[in-house]
Amino acid sequence: MNLLDDPMLTVRGPEGRQKRSLPQIFAMLFEDEVESFTRLQAHQRQAWHSFLAQLGAIAAEGHLMPGGVGEWREALLDLAPRHSWAMHNEDLGQPAFMQPPVPEDSITDWDVRAPNMSDVPVISQNHAIKARRSADYELEDWTYLLVNQALTGYYEGNYRYGAVRMQSNTASRPFMGTTPSLRWGQHIESDIKRLVGWEPDVSFEYQREVTPLLWTLPPAEGKSDAIDVARLHPLFIDCAKRFRFDGHRMRHTSNRARRVTGAGDGLTGDPWTPVQGDQALNPRERHFGYRQLQKILFGSEYQLPFLTSDDHQEGYLVFQTVSGKKGKRFQYLRRTIPCPYPSDEVFGPDTPVAEEAKARVERAETVASRMMAAAGALFDDKEAVEDIGDRVHGRADDRFFDRLFEAAELEDTSELREFWDRVLLEAAEDIYERLKPRATSGDEKSRWERLAEAEDIFLSIRSDLCR
């Protein structure tokens, strides 16, 4: 089976569920005909999107954007010969898709890897992601799995290195970008058009000396064989892991050395990765909350990635990752933020929107602190008191971006401040009413004394928010 010629990828389109080749997929995307990739799992979406956008931009570089299926097939063939797109290649001296050549000329002693043991492991409360049994896997599933490992895979020990576009071997790769639509086609097309010919802002210059499709190259036998990142294309498609399909089963082995060097702290100019100081962002769950997003999107300590810059009159900001700690991935995280203005007008520091965002965070933190004081007057459970603060922040998080971007065009933002105070007051009143029955008596204060103290604190919060 070959991705260039064979209909391997299942999509839902105008004719319902259908299988298509990779060139057909690109043609469908540019016609906005792809509703979904039906066998793609949620946590694989980030890597698959990045792969299609990077590959499409590389294929279109230097000539007109490919149009129909035939043009896309020729453009992909210009990047790598046909066998490089096959899922199985008996000639181990040649690559197969996301499977580098094998200098040892034998894979019989490689580990046999079941699909559910080879993907990036994920646990998510919001997405029912369960590993399929090996017998249910098709070559299409291995396609997504190999791409996911190549672009977001982490260090597994025993010289099984992770993707280079991450802060460290045990970090996660972020994905942050804007799009005019959440539909696959419009999002991919927007990214490809912005990426064609793009030069990242990094401390070195990409020389474009080495093929950008790294799975077509033999693995590094030692440090001297490693490729310095400066020799690559800025959109190079990583392939740190060594997999090989033997016709029946997928096999996997370790590396003798890193494939790519010179990309310290993940500073490759990745178009989806925010940079904090001198490091690529290593996204964790907290970065998806409103307080951290205020710093990332509107503060001065982060450099936003290239693909957050656009002139879309309306669209969305998408932020997602597969995040974990100590090399163990544990959660697929995604946040989508409607953005009714061109991103260049609303993101970054020193804008009316940034000022409004900062004020909202400060106001919410004040209310959360005072609500914790009210809870502390009612009972002595420290963890329960902290939980009240978390509840306030949770309610603020749900509404943080509501009407926020209107600050871009309002001369007087007092109406927005009043709106935010109403949001916080509604949250505080609801939380406080649930708190009062939990008042306890203690050695020094009766239940009624506690209620009176808490009531005084809450009334001061209400008075402040109703001004």
Side-chain angles (χ1 to χ4, degrees):
M1 298 290 283
N2 192 298
L3 285 165
L4 289 186
D5 305 310
D6 299 315
M8 289 178 54
L9 306 174
T10 310
V11 296
R12 192 171 299 279
E15 301 175 12
R17 186 170 173 169
Q18 51 201 293
K19 284 186 173 290
R20 293 291 183 261
S21 66
L22 187 56
Q24 289 174 318
I25 292 295
F26 274 112
M28 289 183 69
L29 288 169
F30 273 71
E31 292 295 328
D32 196 23
E33 295 179 345
V34 175
E35 299 293 337
S36 64
F37 292 89
T38 58
R39 294 185 70 89
L40 183 72
Q41 297 188 51
H43 69 285
Q44 298 169 335
R45 182 185 179 110
Q46 168 189 355
W48 185 241
H49 179 113
S50 298
F51 169 75
L52 292 174
Q54 289 171 235
L55 182 61
I58 294 168
E61 195 169 77
H63 48 74
L64 294 177
M65 186 73 67
V69 175
E71 291 181 9
W72 275 108
R73 181 180 290 110
E74 290 304 312
L76 296 177
L77 271 173
D78 284 346
L79 297 178
R82 192 175 303 277
H83 59 254
S84 301
W85 306 95
M87 289 302 295
H88 176 225
N89 188 347
E90 293 183 356
D91 186 348
L92 296 180
Q94 295 180 342
F97 180 71
M98 285 295 175
Q99 303 163 64
V102 182
E104 307 96 304
D105 202 32
S106 175
I107 58 175
T108 56
D109 60 344
W110 289 21
D111 297 335
V112 174
R113 296 295 290 266
N116 58 352
M117 296 298 294
S118 301
D119 201 0
V120 175
V122 172
I123 299 172
S124 175
Q125 294 178 348
N126 298 322
H127 300 271
I129 301 171
K130 297 181 179 179
R132 298 189 184 100
R133 294 181 179 178
S134 299
D136 295 333
Y137 262 70
E138 300 179 2
L139 283 178
E140 176 183 2
D141 301 303
W142 277 111
T143 303
Y144 301 136
L145 186 152
L146 290 173
V147 169
N148 202 34
Q149 277 283 9
L151 274 65
T152 68
Y154 60 93
Y155 183 67
E156 298 178 74
N158 195 26
Y159 299 98
R160 290 176 166 91
Y161 296 107
V164 72
R165 283 189 174 91
M166 302 190 299
Q167 184 195 100
S168 68
N169 264 322
T170 57
S172 303
R173 184 182 179 186
F175 178 106
M176 178 180 282
T178 55
T179 172
S181 169
L182 297 178
R183 292 181 59 81
W184 273 97
Q186 293 185 48
H187 195 173
I188 292 287
E189 181 179 0
S190 171
D191 282 1
I192 288 176
K193 288 181 175 179
R194 283 181 284 173
L195 288 173
V196 172
W198 162 72
E199 291 290 343
D201 181 15
V202 288
S203 61
F204 56 89
E205 182 178 352
Y206 279 101
Q207 299 298 320
R208 291 175 164 84
E209 296 175 357
V210 178
T211 175
L213 311 187
L214 298 193
W215 78 82
T216 64
L217 300 176
E221 294 288 311
K223 292 182 179 180
S224 61
D225 297 326
I227 304 169
D228 188 278
V229 67
R231 299 180 59 206
L232 295 172
H233 188 288
L235 294 174
F236 71 91
I237 297 176
D238 202 359
C239 187
K241 304 298 178 70
R242 297 187 68 190
F243 285 91
R244 196 75 190 205
F245 191 58
D246 66 8
H248 304 283
R249 299 167 297 182
M250 190 64 72
R251 293 179 177 270
H252 181 46
T253 192
S254 59
N255 302 281
R256 293 189 175 93
R258 293 180 182 274
R259 170 66 69 87
V260 177
T261 59
D265 297 314
L267 296 178
T268 63
D270 181 36
W272 291 280
T273 296
V275 173
Q276 182 182 20
D278 57 357
Q279 290 185 326
L281 174 67
N282 180 19
R284 292 292 185 255
E285 186 173 9
R286 68 179 183 275
H287 292 110
F288 288 76
Y290 79 105
R291 287 179 288 178
Q292 284 294 322
L293 282 175
Q294 180 264 325
K295 295 178 180 179
I296 295 172
L297 297 176
F298 309 111
S300 58
E301 61 182 286
Y302 288 89
Q303 178 183 336
L304 289 174
F306 170 71
L307 284 175
T308 58
S309 178
D310 65 58
D311 57 1
H312 307 141
Q313 294 305 309
E314 290 190 19
Y316 303 86
L317 179 127
V318 178
F319 182 28
Q320 62 185 338
T321 193
V322 178
S323 179
K325 52 187 175 182
K326 295 182 179 179
K328 300 298 182 182
R329 302 304 169 93
F330 71 91
Q331 198 168 24
Y332 168 67
L333 302 166
R334 179 182 172 99
R335 185 156 188 171
T336 303
I337 301 168
C339 184
Y341 299 91
S343 64
D344 292 343
E345 297 180 10
V346 295
F347 296 136
D350 304 321
T351 68
V353 177
E355 183 179 343
E356 175 67 18
K358 183 179 180 182
R360 288 190 177 193
V361 170
E362 291 174 347
R363 194 71 159 158
E365 287 179 334
T366 298
V367 172
S369 176
R370 293 167 72 182
M371 284 295 293
M372 289 172 64
L378 290 173
F379 42 76
D380 298 321
D381 187 336
K382 183 178 179 180
E383 289 187 5
V385 169
E386 292 178 349
D387 179 63
I388 297 306
D390 291 340
R391 291 189 190 187
V392 174
H393 287 303
R395 295 286 290 268
D397 189 274
D398 291 340
R399 303 291 302 277
F400 181 73
F401 289 98
D402 291 1
R403 300 190 62 188
L404 174 64
F405 296 115
E406 292 180 24
E409 61 180 9
L410 293 177
E411 292 184 7
D412 182 2
T413 59
S414 58
E415 181 188 350
L416 295 181
R417 301 291 170 90
E418 292 172 4
F419 163 78
W420 187 240
D421 280 354
R422 290 195 298 271
V423 168
L424 296 176
L425 178 59
E426 180 182 335
E429 288 178 335
D430 183 48
I431 293 170
Y432 182 66
E433 286 304 312
R434 297 169 186 268
L435 266 182
K436 288 193 293 185
R438 299 170 60 184
T440 60
S441 59
D443 296 336
E444 298 180 2
K445 295 181 181 179
S446 70
R447 181 174 185 273
W448 300 112
E449 288 175 318
R450 287 176 178 271
L451 280 170
E453 184 178 345
E455 189 76 9
D456 286 344
I457 297 172
F458 176 71
L459 288 176
S460 70
I461 297 173
R462 174 185 281 173
S463 175
D464 189 26
L465 293 176
C466 288
R467 287 179 182 174

